[in-house]
Amino acid sequence: MTDSKYFTTTKKGEIFELKAELNSDKKEKKKEAVKKVIASMTVGKDVSALFPDVVNCMQTDNLELKKLVYLYLMNYAKSQPDMAIMAVNTFVKDCEDPNPLIRALAVRTMGCIRVDKITEYLCEPLRKCLKDEDPYVRKTAAVCVAKLHDINAQLVEDQGFLDTLKDLISDSNPMVVANAVAALSEIAESHPNSNLLDLNPQTINKLLTALNECTEWGQIFILDCLANYTPRDDRESQSICERVTPRLSHANSAVVLSAVKVLMKFMEMLPKDLDYYGTLLKKLAPPLVTLLSAEPELQYVALRNINLIVQRRPEILKHEMKVFFVKYNDPIYVKLEKLDIMIRLASQANIAQVLAELKEYATEVDVDFVRKAVRAIGRCAIKVEQSAERCVSTLLDLIQTKVNYVVQEAIVVIKDIFRKYPNKYESVIATLCENLDSLDEPEARAAMIWIVGEYAERIDNADELLESFLEGFHDESTQVQLQLLTAIVKLFLKKPTETQELVQQVLSLATQDSDNPDLRDRGYIYWRLLSTDPVAAKEVVLAEKPLISEETDLIEPTLLEELICHIGTLASVYHKPPSAFVEGSRGVQHKRLPGSAGSGESVESPDPGAAATETPPAVIPSQGDLLGDLLNLDLTPTTTTGPPPPTTSGMQMGAMDLLSGGLDSLLGGDIGGNPAMGAAFGAAPATMPASFNAPGSGGLDDLFDLGGGVGMPMGALNPPKAVWLPAMKAKGLEISGVFVRRAGVIQMEMTLTNKAMSVMTDFAIQFNRNSFGLAPAGPLQILTPLSPNQSIEPLNNLQVAVKNNIDVFYFSCQYPISMLFVEDGKMERQVFLATWKDIPNDNESQFQIKDCHLNSDAASNKLQSSNIFTIAKRTVEGQDMLYQSMKLTNGIWVLAELRVQAGNPNYTVSSVALAIGPIINQNGFENGFTNQAL
Amino acid sequence: MIHSLFLINASGDIFLEKHWKSVVSRSVCDYFFEAQERASEPENVPPVIPTPHHYLISVLRHRIYFVAVIQSEVPPLFVIEFLHRVVDTFQDYFGVCTEAAIKDNVVVVYELLEEMLDNGFPLATESNILKELIKPPTILRTMVNTITGSTNVGEQLPTGQLSVVPWRRTGVKYTNNEAYFDVVEEIDAIIDKSGSTITAEIQGVIDACVKLTGMPDLTLSFMNPRLLDDVSFHPCVRFKRWEAERILSFIPPDGNFRLLSYHVSSQNLVAIPVYVKHNITFREGSSQGRFDLTLGPKQTMGKAVEAVLVSSQLPRGVLNANLNASQGTYTFDPVTKMLTWDVGKINPQKLPSLKGSMNLQAGASKPDENPTINIQLKIQQMAISGLKVNRLDMYGEKYKPFKGIKYMTKAGKFQVRT
């Protein structure tokens, strides 16, 4: 007799029959009936109508029956809250039962009944159970607090359960400790700032002790909790590492990975020259390798994490290349991950092996995998210079197989190899040309056309080849059309005599018959260039291209650091910060790796090239630095030591003006394989201000009103653009920019340059919340109003996310606070006087501005154009006192007193802010000041 | 933590659901079905699937998908490990883990799931403890329960639950005290066309079946412990002692358990037990191909290679194969193009071979891909890594147990490229 009998009856009166059975006098029949009910429930049938009858069976001394009824209750109490009240009495009674199993069961079940009325009755029994003499009950009760918190957070706080839970961390039983930690961690997730898990060396010690003795699941909770702790110094860090290391030998892979997370994080604090550091590195490799022999699902998660670890510390697994070799019956998701890691580990030492493997993969059955393998060969060539030749010959071998998709992928990557190593492998062009007819994918066609155009002088029949593409011009995708246009112009510039007709044909096709603005604009530009100055055209179109970089696929370092802190979590599987995707993460705290205690260097890097990529992308200068820069740059221009203006920015701006169609075509130009364009247009005079009228670029211009219409107001500071996001960090997207205030509007001017090999589209931008509520979209919204006497330092540090079709990039930049001063910041004299008196002294701050050779009037004028208004002036003992007011965009008034002594280049500023602490700091004031001092 | 669990069979029916927190509608599984449709093979369904409000983490075991629903940031490995534990428990309880077995025991399944997880936190996953809480169904017990009206739910708090040795219950008694250990090694290897080893590694485990009275304290030592540099232990093993003396010292759980798993990496020299001579060719322009395969023992320390099974996925263009096996039988599935050859034992004097021709579709061009040959085999009384147990001692109890150690080598993912 099996339970399947419970599924058999589906006759009309099933519920009726069950009802009768449930009310039967015979115990055995009752139990069977409840089992039938449970069976129906498990397959999703609605048996809620039986609620009163099932609850009636609850008063029993049969534990199994009791459990079954509890199961039923948990499922249906929500839909029958009034009925569920009937069960309360039994629960409360069971919580007093002499058998701890029943006490625990009762408190556990009560927590699962998500009905407000019941939770009220739960508090007293729960309080008792949290202090129960039996640890089994205590550990169950700990989890119950988390359940209750999920239903009614306020109740839990009011009843003081959180403190009881915190006390349980010091419980004598490790299982209780583990559950308390788990419950607190879960509660803390919904209270990011509550400081629930206040970790200090004493609690850490308790956790480490419990770690050795609790269950595997408890170990995971404790390790994840440990990972949030920041040790005071490297010795504490080392001692924690020593105590966590044995967990690497645990049979449960989740324990292993959580231990890896703790070690990876705390390792940052160890000095590199420590022996222990080296030992630890060696110890990390074997458990990671072992994870790869587990089930494919585990392998997948492990591989995603290894991908991060390899980027952060390539030295750990550099000798383990072979374990990432693909087995033919691995699931596809494992294969693709292994391939990615193989490339990351590829180096001169193992490249021969890797290439042989990749070549093998290229003959596999799965098309997606084969394509990725061929691309991988190209990435190897670009990554390991010494292997380029071998990679090219491998690719040629693959082209000889004539398998269509292999050939197409091979051609796409050979194009990239040409860009990385120009004038080295052109001998293979002939072979490529043989396969021209078999190409049917846009990317491969575009790549081939680029190659033909780029090396037109070495291909005898280049004109014929390109002409053959021209026949179906309108059926091609935009990518191919753009490429074809550029390639034919290149050809014309190289062989003007034979190809005049061809170039005219393509220009007219592009400009007259096309609806695509990018294509049309590019056509017109070429046309005008060619007709006005062929020599300039040559310089532009055939200019030298920047080399492509091999690090474009790396994860941006700050993101990587954050992800390393989240090893083993969903974030690490998706390679996105947890805040980006976890539902209900109300302000997830960003975790950062702790700094190294030893030397200043953050990571040991295998080669100097990589070292450069490991510095954070946008180092936010400390106030002092910024000040120094500005002062040096602006006030004493003769001794400029500030950041040199980026040399490329002028060119990029020019490019945009000329194109006036903007972003898209510029990007298209770069990417489509004609890197000449971006640089090329730079040669043209760049006189107009940057304008951003990109038609298809997601409304960047709308957002910022960056259009060139606004003239530069007199005297306004026009600082050079600084690179905010280097291309290396953002898969080829370089963003440089500056903040200015024009006509009462804060403007953020950005130059986006595509230095990658592929088209970027779908741009979007978003700002992180910031003190002044800067948001991309016209009117300013104050998202976080500063409340009175709040003592936070206003952050004029803006975190920006720019998204395109490739990825989302994060960077941060600093805007001068002077931008935030609004035009109506002039205060009435009386008001000023009254306010000045009203503000308590401790809201005042004072500082000096040095080396400013202006008299008070000139200074006042200068400041006024930066919206710092002089209200009154008086002269005391040869000192000019200027009383000034300014108003921030979030409505905060700032009052200042500027003391100028004739002949003394040092000014003294006392500033007070209305109703709020030292909101206006030295930095802001001087920015405003120095802006005008230009 | 883990919110809900859905069990889905091969035909895409949800046949069991369990919720540990609020009820999640089963429509959430639609996202899983979408992913399932996209995947070419059942095993290619990605293990982690995002949906707008939840994440689905799934494992495929015994042709059943175990789909866990989670809502907050939870370590996926934790979920996957737990799902594996669920499968193992079912198997332990019901002998097999099939849809039929689960449906037959649906109430026990439900009780088990309730016992294993509380509010998404694992509660009791050790099989010893679970079996004390919920007795596994046996024919005898079902009958006794039916007659006496007693239950298969334990009335007592499991003894191991909170002790320092949670894996062992107290008061164990046996008349025959015995402790058996199986050293089982699986060799994973990729051999290239020319017969040289690209990568080879060994996954080893020591499984134990210990039925000893009382609280025995065992130590197990090895002849060559340095082989074991990458190990994962059962929680019962005292790690400090291993670190210091390379001796396994432990109080064993009662019954069957995995004491240790280890990994001998590709950096060590791994012995390859068999070699394969192969010649699989297709001529351009002809609709025929040649197939020629010979197996022979290599480094087996004189032990016999048994239960050899060769399988190979032939190219899609192959219509049928006309082969001749010197021993054993072969089958060729014209739909999946899978060639399987059950060789049996390899006789070193007379090497087994499989020769003949393959027919291609008329006019089809030469296939691009090279078939890979997959080999399964068993070698008794030998651990291919050379691992040897030195001695097993028992302390803490007075009786003299029977002791036994068995070695076995199997092929794991043993692949030969052609």
Side-chain angles (χ1 to χ4, degrees), chain A residues 570-592:
Chain A
L570 281 171
S572 70
V573 172
Y574 284 98
H575 292 188
K576 282 180 188 163
S579 50
F581 64 96
V582 174
E583 164 125 334
S585 63
R586 284 145 284 209
V588 173
Q589 280 166 325
H590 287 269
K591 295 183 187 171
R592 292 293 302 263

Short mmCIF file of all heavy atoms in Angstrom, two decimals, chain A residues 570-592:
data_model
loop_
_atom_site.label_atom_id
_atom_site.label_comp_id
_atom_site.label_asym_id
_atom_site.label_seq_id
_atom_site.Cartn_x
_atom_site.Cartn_y
_atom_site.Cartn_z
N LEU A 570 24.43 35.31 -5.67
CA LEU A 570 23.85 35.51 -7.00
C LEU A 570 24.61 36.59 -7.75
O LEU A 570 24.80 36.51 -8.96
CB LEU A 570 22.39 35.91 -6.88
CG LEU A 570 21.41 34.78 -6.61
CD1 LEU A 570 20.05 35.36 -6.28
CD2 LEU A 570 21.31 33.89 -7.83
N ALA A 571 25.02 37.61 -7.02
CA ALA A 571 25.75 38.70 -7.66
C ALA A 571 26.96 38.17 -8.41
O ALA A 571 27.27 38.61 -9.52
CB ALA A 571 26.18 39.73 -6.61
N SER A 572 27.63 37.21 -7.80
CA SER A 572 28.83 36.68 -8.43
C SER A 572 28.49 35.82 -9.64
O SER A 572 29.31 35.64 -10.53
CB SER A 572 29.64 35.87 -7.43
OG SER A 572 28.95 34.67 -7.14
N VAL A 573 27.29 35.28 -9.66
CA VAL A 573 26.91 34.47 -10.82
C VAL A 573 26.58 35.39 -11.99
O VAL A 573 26.90 35.10 -13.14
CB VAL A 573 25.70 33.58 -10.47
CG1 VAL A 573 25.18 32.89 -11.72
CG2 VAL A 573 26.10 32.55 -9.44
N TYR A 574 25.96 36.53 -11.67
CA TYR A 574 25.58 37.43 -12.75
C TYR A 574 26.61 38.51 -13.03
O TYR A 574 26.45 39.29 -13.96
CB TYR A 574 24.23 38.06 -12.43
CG TYR A 574 23.13 37.06 -12.66
CD1 TYR A 574 22.59 36.34 -11.63
CD2 TYR A 574 22.70 36.80 -13.95
CE1 TYR A 574 21.63 35.39 -11.87
CE2 TYR A 574 21.74 35.86 -14.19
CZ TYR A 574 21.20 35.16 -13.15
OH TYR A 574 20.25 34.21 -13.40
N HIS A 575 27.66 38.57 -12.21
CA HIS A 575 28.69 39.59 -12.36
C HIS A 575 28.08 40.99 -12.37
O HIS A 575 28.46 41.85 -13.16
CB HIS A 575 29.52 39.36 -13.62
CG HIS A 575 30.37 38.12 -13.53
ND1 HIS A 575 31.30 37.78 -14.47
CD2 HIS A 575 30.42 37.14 -12.60
CE1 HIS A 575 31.88 36.64 -14.13
NE2 HIS A 575 31.35 36.24 -13.00
N LYS A 576 27.12 41.19 -11.50
CA LYS A 576 26.52 42.51 -11.36
C LYS A 576 26.48 42.82 -9.88
O LYS A 576 26.35 41.92 -9.07
CB LYS A 576 25.08 42.50 -11.87
CG LYS A 576 24.98 42.55 -13.37
CD LYS A 576 23.51 42.52 -13.76
CE LYS A 576 23.38 42.37 -15.25
NZ LYS A 576 22.03 41.96 -15.62
N PRO A 577 26.56 44.10 -9.51
CA PRO A 577 26.48 44.40 -8.08
C PRO A 577 25.09 44.02 -7.57
O PRO A 577 24.11 44.13 -8.31
CB PRO A 577 26.69 45.91 -8.02
CG PRO A 577 26.38 46.40 -9.38
CD PRO A 577 26.70 45.30 -10.33
N PRO A 578 25.00 43.58 -6.31
CA PRO A 578 23.73 43.10 -5.79
C PRO A 578 22.65 44.16 -5.90
O PRO A 578 21.48 43.86 -6.12
CB PRO A 578 24.02 42.79 -4.33
CG PRO A 578 25.46 42.91 -4.14
CD PRO A 578 26.08 43.52 -5.34
N SER A 579 23.03 45.41 -5.78
CA SER A 579 22.03 46.47 -5.83
C SER A 579 21.37 46.53 -7.20
O SER A 579 20.27 47.05 -7.36
CB SER A 579 22.68 47.81 -5.52
OG SER A 579 23.83 47.97 -6.32
N ALA A 580 22.04 45.97 -8.20
CA ALA A 580 21.52 46.11 -9.56
C ALA A 580 20.34 45.20 -9.82
O ALA A 580 19.59 45.43 -10.74
CB ALA A 580 22.63 45.82 -10.56
N PHE A 581 20.18 44.15 -9.05
CA PHE A 581 19.14 43.23 -9.47
C PHE A 581 18.34 42.57 -8.36
O PHE A 581 17.31 41.99 -8.61
CB PHE A 581 19.71 42.15 -10.38
CG PHE A 581 20.70 41.27 -9.71
CD1 PHE A 581 20.30 40.06 -9.18
CD2 PHE A 581 22.01 41.65 -9.59
CE1 PHE A 581 21.20 39.24 -8.54
CE2 PHE A 581 22.92 40.83 -8.95
CZ PHE A 581 22.52 39.63 -8.44
N VAL A 582 18.79 42.64 -7.14
CA VAL A 582 18.05 41.90 -6.12
C VAL A 582 16.83 42.68 -5.70
O VAL A 582 16.90 43.83 -5.31
CB VAL A 582 18.93 41.60 -4.90
CG1 VAL A 582 18.09 40.97 -3.82
CG2 VAL A 582 20.03 40.66 -5.30
N GLU A 583 15.71 42.03 -5.83
CA GLU A 583 14.44 42.66 -5.49
C GLU A 583 14.41 42.99 -4.01
O GLU A 583 14.81 42.20 -3.16
CB GLU A 583 13.32 41.68 -5.82
CG GLU A 583 12.03 42.05 -5.18
CD GLU A 583 10.94 42.17 -6.21
OE1 GLU A 583 11.26 42.45 -7.38
OE2 GLU A 583 9.81 41.99 -5.85
N GLY A 584 13.92 44.16 -3.73
CA GLY A 584 13.72 44.53 -2.32
C GLY A 584 15.02 44.80 -1.59
O GLY A 584 15.04 44.83 -0.38
N SER A 585 16.09 44.98 -2.30
CA SER A 585 17.33 45.32 -1.60
C SER A 585 17.27 46.81 -1.34
O SER A 585 17.64 47.61 -2.16
CB SER A 585 18.54 44.97 -2.45
OG SER A 585 18.54 45.73 -3.61
N ARG A 586 16.76 47.15 -0.22
CA ARG A 586 16.56 48.56 0.07
C ARG A 586 17.89 49.17 0.43
O ARG A 586 18.29 49.21 1.57
CB ARG A 586 15.56 48.71 1.20
CG ARG A 586 14.15 48.48 0.72
CD ARG A 586 13.33 47.81 1.78
NE ARG A 586 13.66 46.40 1.88
CZ ARG A 586 12.78 45.49 2.29
NH1 ARG A 586 11.59 45.81 2.61
NH2 ARG A 586 13.14 44.22 2.35
N GLY A 587 18.59 49.57 -0.58
CA GLY A 587 19.87 50.21 -0.31
C GLY A 587 20.90 49.24 0.19
O GLY A 587 21.35 49.32 1.31
N VAL A 588 21.25 48.31 -0.64
CA VAL A 588 22.30 47.36 -0.28
C VAL A 588 23.60 48.12 -0.08
O VAL A 588 23.94 49.01 -0.86
CB VAL A 588 22.49 46.32 -1.39
CG1 VAL A 588 23.68 45.45 -1.08
CG2 VAL A 588 21.25 45.48 -1.53
N GLN A 589 24.27 47.80 0.97
CA GLN A 589 25.53 48.50 1.20
C GLN A 589 26.58 47.99 0.24
O GLN A 589 26.70 46.80 0.01
CB GLN A 589 25.99 48.24 2.63
CG GLN A 589 25.26 49.11 3.62
CD GLN A 589 25.46 48.63 5.02
OE1 GLN A 589 25.53 47.43 5.24
NE2 GLN A 589 25.52 49.54 5.94
N HIS A 590 27.30 48.91 -0.30
CA HIS A 590 28.36 48.50 -1.21
C HIS A 590 29.54 48.01 -0.40
O HIS A 590 30.03 48.70 0.48
CB HIS A 590 28.77 49.66 -2.10
CG HIS A 590 27.75 49.97 -3.13
ND1 HIS A 590 27.75 49.40 -4.37
CD2 HIS A 590 26.66 50.75 -3.07
CE1 HIS A 590 26.71 49.83 -5.04
NE2 HIS A 590 26.02 50.66 -4.28
N LYS A 591 29.95 46.83 -0.72
CA LYS A 591 31.08 46.29 0.03
C LYS A 591 32.36 46.57 -0.74
O LYS A 591 32.38 46.51 -1.96
CB LYS A 591 30.91 44.80 0.22
CG LYS A 591 29.72 44.47 1.09
CD LYS A 591 29.64 42.98 1.30
CE LYS A 591 28.35 42.63 2.03
NZ LYS A 591 28.14 41.20 2.07
N ARG A 592 33.38 46.86 -0.01
CA ARG A 592 34.66 47.09 -0.64
C ARG A 592 35.71 46.22 0.02
O ARG A 592 35.59 45.89 1.20
CB ARG A 592 35.08 48.56 -0.49
CG ARG A 592 34.22 49.52 -1.27
CD ARG A 592 34.41 49.34 -2.76
NE ARG A 592 35.78 49.51 -3.17
CZ ARG A 592 36.26 50.64 -3.66
NH1 ARG A 592 35.49 51.68 -3.79
NH2 ARG A 592 37.51 50.72 -4.04
#
